[in-house]
Structures are given as C-alpha cells and as structure tokens.
Amino acid sequence: MSNLSQIPDAARLSLKRARMLFDQSASTAFLPRDDEDLRELSITRRLRTQYNQDKIVAAVVNEKKQAKENSIVLAKDNISDSTSTLTKSSAVTTTTSTDGVLAKLQEEKEAEDNKPRGILVKHREKTKIPTPTWHAPWKLSTVLSSHLGWVRSVAFDPTNEMFATGGGDRVIKVWDLAKASVGASDALKITLTGHISPIRGLAFSERHPYLFSAGEDKQVKCWDLETNQVIRHYHGHLSGIFALSLHPTLDILITGGRDAVARVWDMRSKTQIHVLSGHDHTIASILTKSTDPQIITGSHDTTIKMWDLTAGKCFTTLTHHRKSIRALTQPSFEHSFISGGADCLKKWQGKDGRFLKSFNGHKAVINALAVNDDGVLASGGDDGTLRFWDYETSYCFQDTTTTAQPGSLDSENGIFASAFDLTGTRLITCEADKTVKVWKQDDDASDASHPIDMIGW
C-alpha cells in the first residue's frame, strides 16, 4: 500500500479512520476528498442552530463563494504547483475564512448579550373569587290549608293578583295573593273541579283570560276564568301528563308526560302541531322561550333536549346529569337556565346549552326550582329542604327545612313545586303535607346580622 494510486476505490473507502488520521508516513496517509457542498451545508446548519440568524448564514455563504473564487484564481496563477498542494491550500483558505466568520459572529453575539435590556416575565393573573351578592334570608309567612292531597303544581296570574294550585285531590284552587300573604280566611277565591287524577301542570295565559291545566288523567283543559268553565280539551297523550308550559309570544302550549313525548298544540284550534319525540322516559319539566331554542325539555332519562320549534326536531342533547331531571327554570335577566334532578343543580347557557357550573349541596331529589329578578334561586327537595342561592355565583346563603303541619307524617315533609310572584318578594311552595306555604324576606336582616360566609364559600 505504498502507492496510493494502486489502492482500489472500495478499499480506500473502507480504511479505518484511525489509519487515515494517524498514519506516520505523510506520503501514504489517505486524505479524504474535501466536498465543498457538504462542508457548506454543515456550516450553514451549525450557524442556524447556534445563532439562529439567517442573514449571517447568507453572509457566510457569500464569503465562502468569494473564497472559492479566490482559490480558483490562485490555482490559475500557480498552475505549476501539484494537485495535492492546491487542494491543501484551498482547504486552508476556506477553513481560515470560515474561522474568521465564526469569530466575528461570536463577537457580535457577545455584544448583543451585553446590551442592557428589560426582562420580560409573564405574570399569571391571580384567580379572582367572585363575591356573592348579599340577599336577605327568607322566612315562613303564611300556611294555607285547603287541599286534601299532595299539592303538585302552582302558577301566577300575569296581573300578580292571584295564583292557582293543583294537587292530588284533583281540584284547582285559585287564591287571592294579597289576602293569602297575610293569612286571611277569605283568601281562597274559587275551586275548579273536572280532572279525575292529580293535577301536575298549571299555566295562566298572558293574552287571554285562560287557565290551562294538565293531569295524570291524560287530559289538558282550558278554563275560561270569566265563566269558570272548561272551553277546550286537547286530546292526544297516551299516558299521564307531568308538565305544561305556554309559549311567551305565540298562541301555542306544550305538554309532556309519561309517554316520553312533548306535544305542541295550537291554543285556539286544538290542533296538534308537533310531536317532539326522542326522550326514553317521562318528561317532567318544560321551558319555553321567545328565542331559539324555544322549547327545552327535561326527562327522567337524565337528558335535556333543546328543540327547534319550526322544524319540530331536537338539535342539542345535554347529558351531564347522572340521574333523572325533575325541574327546570330560567331567569328573566339572563339567557341561561337551571336544571335540577336527583343528583344536583346545573346551570347552562341558554343559546347552545353550554355547561356553566354546578350547584352542590342538596342530598335529596330536587322537585322544585324558582328564580326571581333579584337573582335569588330557590330549590326544594322531597325531604323538605329548601335552599336559597345566589344565581350568579352559586353561593347558598340559606339552608332551611320546611315544617310539616300538625297531624302529618314525617315522610310528608316534602316540596313538590314552587314559584315566585312577579315582584319576587313572595315565594309559594306546594308541599306533601297538603299545604301551600308563603315565604317572604326578613325585613329586619342586614349584611351585618347575616354576613356572607366567605370562608365557607
């Protein structure tokens, strides 16, 4: 192997790197060919990795091109020199040029690092705990005893002068609100009979002197309050009806019950417009709005469905609840709604059904929900517990328990329905001890006597 030219190309390429680098004889040492393109790519990559400056890389490339041209000129001027000497001198020139550029870049980097500059630190904003709005506690004002069975439904007149209740005794009782609030003996105005099963839904019409009722006898009735007689029947349900609601702007009513469908009726012609099917179990509560979704239903199948009234189809199903949903309510000041079931309360955005928050604390089945314009949410359970919440922050500012009237069983200490009057100063609860209770705010309370428990909150 004394003659380098006699070594085959394959053998020369397979020589050990140690032999190539440390051969004692300079004449027999194998020097790998200097590939300028690979060298240029390697230097460019290292510059970009270390300095991250494309303009400096461009400058290095230009200087390397100039060095290459200089080496070519030098080769022409020294044509008599050997090929090996020319290759070594070109490599030395390129290496010297590259080393100079690297040194220059290093100096620029150090100068840039030594420049005074501000330290940009991204401070994470502290989580702000919302402060609940103070509300006065509520206390029992009046107990109305007239029903002979469980009181299952309540509705207020649009004029806020009277309210109606219906229950397991199959009658509807219409009360004078002002007299009932003070416990007058003549608070009961009239009793309407006609249903043959417990009455589960009541609603007053805002544009007509009508009262609508629905019961477990599969009947939906329209009462004329001027003559106190039934003027219309709506037939179609195959089982008991558990919920009834009137549309706020259209002359239609929606009913739902044990047949797992919600039926949309024309109020005047008694025509069935839509049959909203999709639930797998009893529909226990219905909400109606003037904006989409105009119908929201809650069912014992643990789902909430939001319906397109025009098409008569469901476009969103909410499945966050783990147990049956018994009650729905919505405020007048916010486009949202609350659902209550056997597990907890949940707050939803009214437009698309986006989940907002949970209201935890009840340990019973929640049957009744009501909210007033002051942002007070009242929830009642089948164990007689009554909780008052701040609607905005889900802070429970009062937890009380209703008291069954004398002679009732302990198991009859339950709340089935509730509603605020139009002023939001009176709360009506319908209970299992066959009574209707009127609650009002404590006028003597203040934020000093009943402060917000921020530690517990």
Side-chain angles (χ1 to χ4, degrees):
M1 296 180 65
S2 61
N3 190 357
L4 189 63
S5 61
Q6 296 179 359
I7 302 176
D9 292 339
R12 289 192 301 109
L13 294 175
S14 64
L15 290 176
K16 298 294 184 180
R17 185 172 181 81
R19 178 69 179 277
M20 292 187 290
L21 295 176
F22 302 105
D23 197 287
Q24 296 180 356
S25 175
S27 59
T28 60
F30 170 67
L31 297 177
R33 290 172 294 183
D34 190 5
D35 192 335
E36 290 296 330
D37 294 335
L38 292 178
R39 186 181 183 84
E40 181 179 347
L41 289 175
S42 178
I43 294 176
T44 303
R45 179 183 59 78
R46 282 182 289 173
L47 288 175
R48 284 177 176 169
T49 303
Q50 184 174 359
Y51 298 99
N52 195 20
Q53 298 182 9
D54 292 337
K55 61 180 182 179
I56 298 179
V57 171
V60 173
V61 172
N62 292 333
E63 189 166 351
K64 286 179 62 61
K65 289 182 179 179
Q66 187 67 28
K68 188 174 182 180
E69 294 177 358
N70 294 337
S71 65
I72 294 175
V73 173
L74 182 61
K76 290 181 179 180
D77 293 340
N78 301 286
I79 194 65
S80 60
D81 294 342
S82 62
T83 305
S84 60
T85 305
L86 177 61
T87 304
K88 292 180 180 181
S89 64
S90 176
V92 171
T93 303
T94 304
T95 304
T96 304
S97 174
T98 304
D99 293 340
V101 173
L102 291 176
K104 183 178 179 181
L105 292 176
Q106 186 67 24
E107 293 177 358
E108 292 180 357
K109 183 179 179 182
E110 292 177 357
E112 184 71 20
D113 293 339
N114 293 331
K115 285 183 179 180
R117 65 185 69 183
I119 299 176
L120 300 178
V121 179
K122 183 179 181 181
H123 294 281
R124 182 177 297 177
E125 295 183 359
K126 295 183 179 179
T127 303
K128 295 182 179 179
I129 300 177
T131 302
T133 303
W134 183 84
H135 300 283
W138 292 69
K139 62 180 182 179
L140 181 62
S141 173
T142 308
V143 179
L144 305 176
S145 300
S146 180
H147 280 280
L148 301 178
W150 290 355
V151 189
R152 305 302 299 260
S153 57
V154 60
F156 275 92
D157 177 67
T159 62
N160 206 41
E161 295 178 355
M162 57 185 178
F163 65 95
T165 57
D169 54 359
R170 302 168 294 177
V171 298
I172 302 172
K173 294 184 179 292
V174 182
W175 308 80
D176 186 288
L177 178 59
K179 294 180 180 180
S181 299
V182 296
S185 59
D186 57 345
L188 180 62
K189 298 181 67 173
I190 193 172
T191 299
L192 304 176
T193 61
H195 282 279
I196 59 175
S197 288
I199 299 169
R200 301 297 295 269
L202 292 172
F204 283 92
S205 174
E206 296 182 357
R207 293 175 298 278
H208 313 286
Y210 296 157
L211 170 65
F212 294 87
S213 63
E216 296 181 9
D217 53 5
K218 302 182 287 186
Q219 298 183 25
V220 182
K221 298 179 181 291
C222 175
W223 303 79
D224 188 342
L225 295 179
E226 294 179 349
T227 62
N228 299 326
Q229 293 180 350
V230 178
I231 59 174
R232 296 188 185 99
H233 290 85
Y234 303 87
H235 299 283
H237 276 282
L238 305 178
S239 189
I241 304 169
F242 283 11
L244 180 147
S245 181
L246 298 180
H247 196 280
T249 57
L250 303 176
D251 286 339
I252 60 175
L253 68 147
I254 300 92
T255 56
R258 197 180 288 120
D259 53 2
V261 297
R263 300 180 187 269
V264 183
W265 309 88
D266 186 300
M267 185 184 298
R268 298 181 179 180
S269 65
K270 301 179 291 184
T271 304
Q272 186 173 271
I273 303 173
H274 291 304
V275 178
L276 307 179
S277 59
H279 283 292
D280 298 329
H281 210 293
T282 302
I283 295 177
S285 184
I286 299 175
L287 285 182
T288 54
K289 300 188 297 182
S290 58
T291 58
D292 290 331
Q294 299 185 50
I295 301 175
I296 303 174
T297 57
S299 172
H300 289 183
D301 62 3
T302 74
T303 65
I304 300 171
K305 289 185 180 292
M306 309 173 78
W307 304 86
D308 183 351
L309 179 59
T310 304
K313 296 181 179 179
C314 173
F315 65 86
T316 301
T317 301
L318 311 178
T319 59
H320 292 61
H321 277 281
R322 294 177 296 174
K323 295 185 179 181
S324 61
I325 298 167
R326 305 295 183 94
L328 296 173
T329 190
Q330 59 185 351
S332 60
F333 54 85
E334 187 176 290
H335 195 38
S336 61
F337 66 95
I338 293 283
S339 62
D343 48 359
C344 65
L345 301 176
K346 292 185 183 294
K347 184 178 180 181
W348 315 83
Q349 191 173 23
K351 182 178 180 180
D352 55 2
R354 182 169 59 89
F355 173 72
L356 297 178
K357 63 178 67 176
S358 292
F359 293 60
N360 297 312
H362 270 289
K363 297 180 180 179
V365 177
I366 302 169
N367 293 320
L369 289 175
V371 60
N372 64 6
D373 292 339
D374 295 331
V376 176
L377 172 67
S379 60
D382 63 352
D383 61 349
T385 57
L386 182 63
R387 281 177 169 258
F388 294 90
W389 314 76
D390 178 43
Y391 187 85
E392 183 65 26
T393 61
S394 71
Y395 168 68
C396 180
F397 63 89
Q398 184 180 0
D399 182 8
T400 185
T401 302
T402 184
T403 303
Q405 68 174 346
S408 300
L409 301 175
D410 293 338
S411 59
E412 293 181 330
N413 193 21
I415 301 174
F416 289 130
S418 65
F420 282 101
D421 69 340
L422 300 187
T423 63
T425 59
R426 295 292 185 272
L427 174 67
I428 306 295
T429 58
C430 303
E431 305 190 5
D433 61 352
K434 309 173 187 177
T435 63
V436 177
K437 292 185 173 65
V438 182
W439 303 74
K440 67 176 184 179
Q441 287 181 317
D442 188 357
D443 297 333
D444 298 332
S446 65
D447 54 356
S449 61
H450 295 78
I452 298 175
D453 185 10
M454 292 301 296
I455 298 178
W457 163 237

